Amino acid sequence: MNPSEEYRTVLSASQGDKTAFETLVRENRVLVYNLALKLLKNPEDAMDASQDAFIKAYVNLKSFRFDCKFSVWLYKITYNICLDMLRRQQRHPAPISGEEGETALSFAPALEGDPEAAVRRKEFWAEINEGLDMLPEDQRQAIILREITGLSYYEIARVAGCTEGTVKSRIARGREKLAAFLLSRGTFTSGKRHNSAKGGKRK
């Protein structure tokens, strides 16, 4: 859905067009669920959070000001719902894992082409998960938003309710701490991290 189509669809939905809102749900339900699942680490909780997010979006649709993408506004709603659930349940957000994380983290080592790649990949992501669990909450959440949703720094700031500079600082500090943890565990050398982190920077 291009920006003009999204604008017309959101506008129609805000005026009571249920078919238009159903279109918005179809366009965003997978992304919303994936974000909730990464934060909550529980499929049932993620489904509940996704449903709550769409209900809240529908109820508050008239308050959407078109000053950002609808998906970013929806991510913010989902993010806040997940944080509320985590506070109630006293859980930690889910660490990055699986194929999504493997293609996102800039310092992930290349594991393909090795007969033992599957085992090494599993061990690598186990250590990534352990490292993320050691990060302060705000840094872990910022990294998840960046690496899982692919949002820009500006968009993450909108979601998290902070400044873009704060987002950059949280991600930078979180990545450095995570890299230091992996280096201390011998997951990769500093040279490998430097070389692999040169590309793939996103604005």
Side-chain angles (χ1 to χ4, degrees):
M1 185 183 299
N2 61 46
S4 61
E5 289 174 336
E6 180 180 270
Y7 176 84
R8 290 193 298 269
T9 303
V10 174
L11 187 61
S12 295
S14 68
Q15 295 171 346
D17 186 341
K18 293 184 178 180
T19 300
F21 187 74
E22 289 172 359
T23 299
L24 294 173
V25 172
R26 287 196 301 271
E27 286 284 322
N28 295 281
R29 61 186 176 188
V30 173
L31 295 175
V32 166
Y33 175 78
N34 285 343
L35 175 58
L37 183 61
K38 291 298 180 184
L39 290 170
L40 299 173
K41 202 179 179 181
N42 182 295
E44 292 183 3
D45 289 345
M47 183 61 69
D48 288 343
S50 300
Q51 292 175 348
D52 288 348
F54 282 114
I55 290 172
K56 190 170 184 178
Y58 182 75
V59 171
N60 295 281
L61 199 53
K62 290 185 178 180
S63 68
F64 181 59
R65 303 300 181 188
F66 295 96
D67 54 351
C68 65
K69 291 188 294 186
F70 176 78
S71 60
V72 174
W73 184 68
L74 191 55
Y75 274 140
K76 183 174 184 178
I77 292 174
T78 307
Y79 177 81
N80 288 332
I81 287 173
C82 290
L83 290 190
D84 287 342
M85 292 177 69
L86 288 167
R87 292 186 188 105
R88 290 196 301 268
Q89 300 169 1
Q90 295 184 335
R91 292 181 183 172
H92 293 293
I96 297 172
S97 61
E99 295 302 320
E100 293 165 305
E102 290 176 27
T103 61
L105 291 173
S106 60
F107 46 76
L111 301 178
E112 291 74 14
D114 189 324
E116 300 179 352
V119 174
R120 293 167 59 199
R121 184 180 297 111
K122 183 176 181 180
E123 292 174 349
F124 173 77
W125 288 109
E127 292 185 352
I128 284 283
N129 292 343
E130 186 177 348
L132 284 170
D133 283 341
M134 297 175 63
L135 295 179
E137 196 75 12
D138 56 353
Q139 294 175 17
R140 176 169 50 241
Q141 291 165 1
I143 289 177
I144 288 173
L145 284 169
R146 177 67 166 173
E147 305 298 352
I148 298 304
T149 68
L151 295 180
S152 67
Y153 293 122
Y154 172 76
E155 290 169 336
I156 294 172
R158 297 291 299 255
V159 170
C162 59
T163 66
E164 189 173 347
T166 298
V167 170
K168 291 179 179 179
S169 178
R170 288 175 179 175
I171 291 175
R173 292 201 305 269
R175 283 175 171 166
E176 285 301 316
K177 290 176 183 177
L178 181 57
F181 171 80
L182 295 175
L183 285 168
S184 71
R185 297 291 290 268
T187 307
F188 56 83
T189 66
S190 58
K192 286 182 179 179
R193 175 176 182 263
H194 177 75
N195 290 334
S196 60
K198 285 182 178 180
K201 286 189 177 181
R202 293 168 294 171
K203 300 292 184 180

